[in-house]
């Protein structure tokens, strides 16, 4: 499973990557915002996208919309990990087709739970 | 100069002023000087008004909340709340990290001593210097050591993960600090404009930069700052999403 982790803060990318490694995912790549993430997603064979919302250049929600709009990536599971906690934003993300929404600060258990849920659903 | 129309009006008044001075018409000269002076005041007041409005908007944007819009003068106190939150978050992260390390060090020290002791005995055994009772004692020690080693390495692993998670403060405090920098920048821009006008540097004055709400995203929830419509926990996010059919 190839996973792309997108966050403008390198520390958060490292945290998420460490947690994913703990969960047994080893094929991990990263990008610092939607603009750098999108060419990678388009070119690479990624299976899963974990992205922050608030990033310079291209935000996570725009990246999600772009992913959904492109036939090549439309079915890719996307998990938002963000400090944005307004109801309207969560609804917007849901409407844009997000598969999971985690608010920061989060725990390792929350990440595991959401990822398990996403893959149980997408494989089921 | 505010705009082309203002410039033309001023030019027209200036031309009339020169004529009135040339024709020695004191009354008209006085009137025109007074009118120009009033124009300047008006422009200054307009600029001050606009800056006040911008500052007001910026503070309102910073709070980003209808409820708080009524309390826009809370912008600076909010910035203080946010910075206090940064102190709390960094304090918490530093303490979590130090606590984890303080818990790990005695465990690794004990393992280090134990393995040194076992290594010494093991070498004695290899060079056939160990008596049977000593060998039996060492075997028992090895069993105990292996048991504790499994437990301890798991413990160290857990603590290492706690240290990793504690670093999440950098992202969250970074976002909060960026917001405060934005507020300070907006205040600074407004003050610079004000100083330019007060210093009568109109020739070099640039139009007031629009400082409307650029960043509509809230960023991390800060204790003490109420954000209307924000959820308070992951459970609320999950409830909301399941109500949407997730």
């Amino acid at each position: 499973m190839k996973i792309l982790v997108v966050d403008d803060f390198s520390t958060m990318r490292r945290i998420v990557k460490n947690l994913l490694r703990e969960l047994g995912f080893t094929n991990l790549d990263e990008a610092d915002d939607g603009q750098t993430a999108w060419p990678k997603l388009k070119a690479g064979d990624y299976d899963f996208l974990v992205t922050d919302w608030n990033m310079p250049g291209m935000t996570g929600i725009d990246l999600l919309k772009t992913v959904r709009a492109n036939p090549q990536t439309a079915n890719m599971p996307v998990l938002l990990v963000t400090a944005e906690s307004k109801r309207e934003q969560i609804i917007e993300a849901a409407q844009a087709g997000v598969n999971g929404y985690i608010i920061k600060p989060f725990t390792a258990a929350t990440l595991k739970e959401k990822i398990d849920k996403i893959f149980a659903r997408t494989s089921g | 100069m505010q705009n082309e129309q203002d410039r033309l009006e001023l030019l027209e008044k200036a031309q009339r002023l020169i004529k009135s001075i040339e024709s020695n018409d004191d009354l008209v000269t006085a009137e025109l000087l007074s009118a120009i002076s009033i124009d300047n005041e008006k422009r200054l007041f307009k600029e001050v008004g606009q800056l006040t409005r911008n500052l007001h908007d910026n503070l309102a944007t910073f709070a980003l909340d209808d409820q708080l819009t009524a309390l826009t003068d809370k912008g600076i106190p909010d910035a203080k709340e946010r910075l206090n939150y940064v102190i709390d978050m960094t304090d918490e992260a530093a303490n979590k990290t130090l606590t984890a390390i303080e818990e790990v060090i005695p465990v690794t020290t004990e393992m280090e001593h134990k393995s040194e002791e076992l290594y010494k005995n093991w070498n004695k055994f290899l060079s056939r210097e160990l008596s049977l009772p000593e060998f039996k004692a060492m075997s028992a020690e090895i069993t105990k050591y292996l048991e504790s080693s499994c437990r301890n390495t798991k413990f160290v692993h857990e603590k290492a993960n706690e240290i990793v998670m504690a670093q999440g403060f950098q992202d969250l405090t970074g976002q909060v600090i960026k917001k405060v920098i934005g507020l300070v920048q907006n205040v600074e821009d407004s003050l610079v404009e004000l100083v330019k006008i007060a210093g009568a540097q109109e020739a070099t004055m640039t139009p007031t930069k629009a400082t409307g709400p650029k960043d509509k995203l809230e960023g991390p929830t800060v204790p003490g700052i109420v954000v209307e419509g924000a959820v308070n926990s992951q459970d609320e996010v999950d409830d909301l999403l399941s109500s949407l059919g997730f």
Side-chain angles (χ1 to χ4, degrees):
Chain A
M1 163 116 21
K2 195 173 174 190
I3 305 177
L4 184 66
V5 177
V6 189
D7 199 303
D8 54 331
F9 280 87
S10 63
T11 44
M12 187 48 74
R13 292 200 299 272
R14 285 178 69 179
I15 290 170
V16 173
K17 282 170 70 182
N18 267 292
L19 292 172
L20 289 170
R21 265 196 291 270
E22 283 289 311
L23 296 174
F25 301 105
T26 49
N27 196 358
L28 307 169
D29 195 6
E30 58 183 273
D32 59 6
D33 82 330
Q35 256 168 13
T36 51
W38 177 236
K40 285 187 174 215
L41 287 168
K42 239 182 0 179
D45 46 351
Y46 293 92
D47 303 292
F48 184 34
L49 168 65
V50 180
T51 181
D52 184 21
W53 182 314
N54 188 358
M55 294 178 291
M58 186 189 205
T59 62
I61 191 75
D62 288 339
L63 179 63
L64 168 64
K65 288 173 183 170
T66 309
V67 164
R68 289 287 174 262
N70 192 296
Q72 197 188 330
T73 53
N75 296 319
M76 185 186 293
V78 178
L79 175 66
L80 264 168
V81 180
T82 173
E84 302 305 321
S85 60
K86 286 184 98 172
R87 283 171 181 278
E88 61 193 66
Q89 291 173 308
I90 299 165
I91 293 167
E92 185 185 353
Q95 283 167 346
V98 82
N99 299 84
Y101 197 109
I102 294 177
I103 47 170
K104 295 174 185 171
F106 62 100
T107 63
T110 304
L111 184 72
K112 182 180 177 350
E113 186 198 320
K114 301 303 165 207
I115 289 178
D116 286 347
K117 222 174 180 176
I118 288 171
F119 289 112
R121 202 178 286 133
T122 50
S123 63
Chain B
M1 205 59 56
Q2 281 303 296
N3 54 37
E4 188 60 15
Q5 197 190 339
D6 285 351
R7 195 185 70 84
L8 291 174
E9 276 177 20
L10 185 63
L11 183 65
E12 190 258 339
K13 281 189 186 118
Q15 284 164 344
R16 280 166 54 203
L17 182 64
I18 290 168
K19 275 185 199 156
S20 69
I21 294 170
E22 281 170 352
S23 60
N24 229 355
D25 189 341
D26 288 347
L27 195 64
V28 174
T29 304
E31 268 175 17
L32 283 167
L33 281 173
S34 169
I36 289 169
S37 155
I38 286 167
D39 281 351
N40 270 340
E41 277 177 23
K42 270 190 196 160
R43 215 168 26 245
L44 180 63
F45 283 127
K46 201 174 146 195
E47 192 68 27
V48 170
Q50 199 180 341
L51 290 172
T52 310
R53 183 73 226 168
N54 283 347
L55 188 60
H56 175 94
D57 288 347
N58 287 331
L59 296 180
T61 310
F62 199 62
L64 276 174
D65 168 6
D66 289 343
Q67 254 185 347
L68 283 182
T69 308
L71 305 165
T72 44
D73 56 345
K74 275 186 79 220
I76 299 293
D78 274 1
K80 285 187 204 161
E81 288 280 343
R82 284 171 195 274
L83 292 176
N84 277 323
Y85 172 72
V86 169
I87 295 173
D88 290 346
M89 285 286 283
T90 49
D91 179 75
E92 193 189 315
N95 279 312
K96 261 192 202 165
T97 307
L98 290 171
T99 304
I101 290 167
E102 281 164 6
E103 285 171 346
V104 160
I105 286 175
V107 173
T108 51
T109 308
E110 190 204 316
M111 283 178 75
E112 188 187 341
H113 291 157
K114 205 78 210 156
S115 29
E116 274 169 6
E117 196 188 313
L118 283 173
Y119 182 60
K120 235 189 274 169
N121 284 337
W122 183 252
N123 277 336
K124 269 179 159 182
F125 166 73
L126 290 178
S127 46
R128 299 169 190 277
E129 290 170 21
L130 217 59
S131 68
L132 187 64
E134 278 174 330
F135 175 76
K136 280 183 176 169
M138 186 187 75
S139 294
E141 282 298 313
I142 288 175
T143 307
K144 257 170 62 184
Y145 176 78
L146 290 175
E147 264 172 20
S148 67
S149 173
C150 289
R151 204 174 46 243
N152 288 340
T153 45
K154 199 174 164 203
F155 178 77
V156 171
H157 194 143
E158 278 167 17
K159 292 293 149 189
N161 279 343
E162 278 179 29
I163 293 171
V164 167
M165 288 309 287
Q167 310 315 308
F169 82 94
Q170 204 273 333
D171 169 17
L172 296 173
T173 57
Q175 292 191 47
V176 170
I177 290 172
K178 274 185 182 174
K179 277 194 172 283
V180 175
I181 290 172
L183 174 88
V184 172
Q185 184 65 55
N186 287 338
V187 170
E188 187 190 348
D189 289 349
S190 299
L191 288 176
V192 165
E193 286 302 325
L194 194 60
V195 167
K196 276 183 185 170
I197 299 159
Q201 297 174 0
E202 294 186 14
T204 57
M205 204 173 88
T206 51
T208 312
K209 208 169 80 186
T211 49
K214 270 184 292 181
D215 180 13
K216 284 186 178 167
L217 296 171
E218 281 295 336
T221 311
V222 176
I225 298 180
V226 181
V227 177
E228 201 190 349
V231 297
N232 295 309
S233 67
Q234 183 64 42
D235 284 345
E236 285 186 42
V237 177
D238 297 347
D239 289 347
L240 180 60
L241 286 175
S242 58
S243 76
L244 295 165
F246 270 71

